[in-house]
Amino acid sequence: MARAAERAALQPVIGLEVHVQLDTETKVFCGCSTDGDADEEPNTRVCPVCLGLPGALPVVNEAAVAAAVKVGKALDAEIPAETQFHRKNYYYPDLPKNFQITQYDAPLCADGELEFSHEGDRRSVRIRRAHLEEDPGSLQHVREGPADLDARTTSVDRADYTLVDYNRAGTPLMEIVTEPDFREPAAVRGFLEKLEEVLAYLGIFDPEGDGSLRVDANLSMVSADDVRADGTVPEDVLKDANRTEVKNISSHRGAETALSYEASRQRDQIEVGREVAQETRHYNETHGNTVSMRAKEEEKDYRYFPESDLPSLQVADWREEIEIPELPDARRERFREEYGLGEEAAAKLTSRKTVADFYEAVAAEFDPELAATLVADSLLGELNYRDRGIDAVTDRLDEFERLIELVATDQVTTKNAEETVLRAMLDEGEDPDTVVDREGLGKAADDEVATAVTTAVAENPDAVDDYHAGEDGALNFLVGQVMAATGGSADPGTVNELLHEELG
Ligand code: ADP
Ligand code: MG
Ligand code: ZN
């Protein structure tokens, strides 16, 4: 077969295992704090339980289970009445007990679904399962050299020694496993963005947290003929396809890059007649490639067995009692209906709960469409430009409401509000009235504008003649004169109207 034809005939199949840190106060099986910062001392947030000392017994954190139930509900998953923990056994220095407490055949959530959009299309991905487990500690591989430890951090194969920090050990994780429903690396990005939005809405996830979302991405290549019209692939084809699992992906962009690389690498292998090895690969963020780590481990390698130190967990009552907030899709639809917003503005205003809450607080007081423009376009744009999030202003809601009030009641022009007042509010921390006074931005009083119009007409007879002769530029010239005379504080619409009247 010709090379080009063969290229076209192969189709990537992708499934994800996403690890999400649940934003609880304490760890999942002990009382240690989860609240660490980047420069904390290693091994300071630890106790006998998360260090795996002999005789220490785990107790499950109620808040972590509640968070997991919320995730299940948001993913429209089945939550069984009873669920159980298992031990997954393997030896690695970041795992002090030599096993990880996780879930196996009785996960907290199964058979869910998440909708997201990709290039303007609605997509849906099936969630096979989502379970609760503990995060291992973290390792830092170091080579000998200058004093600065961070500068000496390296990969495991180049290290002279390795440091281990158990501060992270025992942080609650939710592992969310999708069906292999993705056909393009780019769609994975849209899914991860949506997943983060939903998790943040639930208030159980901090998208800004370091390492709060980590992805293992599975990819195989199948013949395009094996893909059904609805995009699914028969079970036996999936089983027979050799797949790789790429680890160490910690960003949306990284997922797309790693998977694009992996798709073309596997394609190349198949085209030269080599079998793709079933293996675990490591994503190298700096080089944007993946490298072989080890042969893929199988389930039997882990010798799963029930965690006998934890009783089975009865969650039947919780399923009913625990409530989740309105989620982004529903809120977006409601914004469109209730406030008459367009698709894009509604999407922008609902993608983060804090932004949506902020907008609703403002829209309740003033014209919702004006509020949408000022929040979705001006405020988010200016914040984005400054690399800041909405939390930079959430405690100044009053001041932003006042700014919108100034515009809504015609005291300041939209242009001045956006270009001068808003920027000074963000950069100098000033309140809107101070900026308006200092810069003399109060809209010119009606009689001041009227006088400026009369003067402009009286002083520019040539332009008036041109206007009557039907020259388009003449009116603009006169508007310019009035704007200059009022120091830019007149409303252009009003000036236009008054000029038309004056000119007959
Ligand atoms: P394992 O237990 O070996 O990790 P699973 O069946 O639990 O395998 O699947 C793990 C992930 O691999 C899931 O996200 C699933 O969607 C994905 N997956 C399964 N088969 C394939 C395939 N042929 N190609 C790509 N991904 C796959
Ligand atoms: Mg797996
Ligand atoms: Zn502990």
Side-chain angles (χ1 to χ4, degrees), residues 153-174:
T153 298
T154 184
S155 57
V156 63
D157 50 325
R158 298 204 198 148
D160 293 310
Y161 59 91
T162 293
L163 301 170
V164 60
D165 177 7
Y166 292 118
N167 283 346
R168 198 182 71 184
T171 301
L173 286 187
M174 188 122 196

Side-chain angles (χ1 to χ4, degrees), residues 13-17 128 177-180 218-220 238 241 243 245 296 299:
V13 171
I14 300 163
L16 305 177
E17 293 157 275
R128 183 182 290 179
V177 182
T178 77
E179 292 294 340
N218 298 269
L219 184 142
S220 62
L238 291 174
R243 74 177 137 108
E245 177 171 355
K296 190 170 165 27
E299 213 166 271

Side-chain angles (χ1 to χ4, degrees), residues 34-238:
T34 52
D35 195 12
D37 59 51
D39 10 83
E40 70 179 345
E41 282 291 307
N43 300 304
T44 47
R45 280 186 292 118
V46 291
C47 73
V49 174
C50 55
L51 286 175
L53 300 188
L57 292 173
V59 177
V60 72
N61 178 349
E62 185 176 341
V65 178
V69 170
K70 284 184 186 168
V71 175
K73 287 191 140 186
L75 296 176
D76 215 4
E78 311 276 329
I79 301 170
E82 181 174 325
T83 169
Q84 172 155 36
F85 290 100
H86 272 71
R87 292 185 180 183
K88 178 179 182 179
N89 298 278
Y90 62 99
Y91 178 79
Y92 205 64
D94 60 5
L95 199 63
K97 301 189 293 291
N98 292 341
F99 62 84
Q100 178 192 31
I101 306 180
T102 179
Q103 298 194 286
Y104 181 52
D105 53 5
L108 249 160
C109 317
D111 293 329
E113 183 189 15
L114 184 69
E115 276 191 20
F116 64 102
S117 61
H118 175 61
E119 290 175 350
D121 289 342
R122 295 300 287 166
R123 297 282 179 93
S124 169
V125 158
R126 291 169 297 158
I127 306 295
R128 183 182 290 179
R129 55 182 282 148
H131 68 248
L132 192 57
E133 63 185 28
E134 58 179 339
D135 211 349
S138 45
L139 301 179
Q140 190 177 5
H141 308 295
V142 185
R143 62 193 152 75
E144 304 283 4
D148 181 9
L149 189 60
D150 285 333
R152 289 188 285 129
T153 298
T154 184
S155 57
V156 63
D157 50 325
R158 298 204 198 148
D160 293 310
Y161 59 91
T162 293
L163 301 170
V164 60
D165 177 7
Y166 292 118
N167 283 346
R168 198 182 71 184
T171 301
L173 286 187
M174 188 122 196
E175 179 175 334
I176 300 168
V177 182
T178 77
E179 292 294 340
D181 286 349
F182 300 95
R183 298 290 161 267
E184 318 98 316
V188 164
R189 206 164 156 175
F191 170 84
L192 292 173
E193 268 159 27
K194 181 61 178 294
L195 180 63
E196 276 202 2
E197 269 177 25
V198 169
L199 296 170
Y201 254 75
L202 297 174
I204 52 122
F205 173 72
D206 172 16
E208 316 300 333
D210 204 25
S212 50
L213 183 131
R214 302 189 298 269
V215 181
D216 297 345
N218 298 269
L219 184 142
S220 62
M221 300 299 287
V222 302
S223 159
D225 298 336
D226 286 330
V227 181
R228 299 189 190 106
D230 68 355
T232 61
V233 179
E235 206 49 47
D236 54 327
V237 175
L238 291 174

Side-chain angles (χ1 to χ4, degrees), residues 9 15 70 102 107 133 151 221 242 274 310 329 340 374 407 441 459:
K70 284 184 186 168
T102 179
E133 63 185 28
M221 300 299 287
N242 277 3
R274 282 206 208 118
L310 288 168
D329 285 350
L374 288 173
V407 178
L441 297 177
E459 288 180 353

Side-chain angles (χ1 to χ4, degrees), residues 310-324:
L310 288 168
S312 70
L313 207 57
Q314 313 291 324
V315 286
D317 294 345
W318 296 39
R319 292 180 304 191
E320 320 307 327
E321 282 162 22
I322 289 177
E323 286 179 22
I324 58 171

Side-chain angles (χ1 to χ4, degrees), residues 477-488:
F477 171 79
L478 291 168
V479 172
Q481 296 296 304
V482 178
M483 294 306 285
T486 55

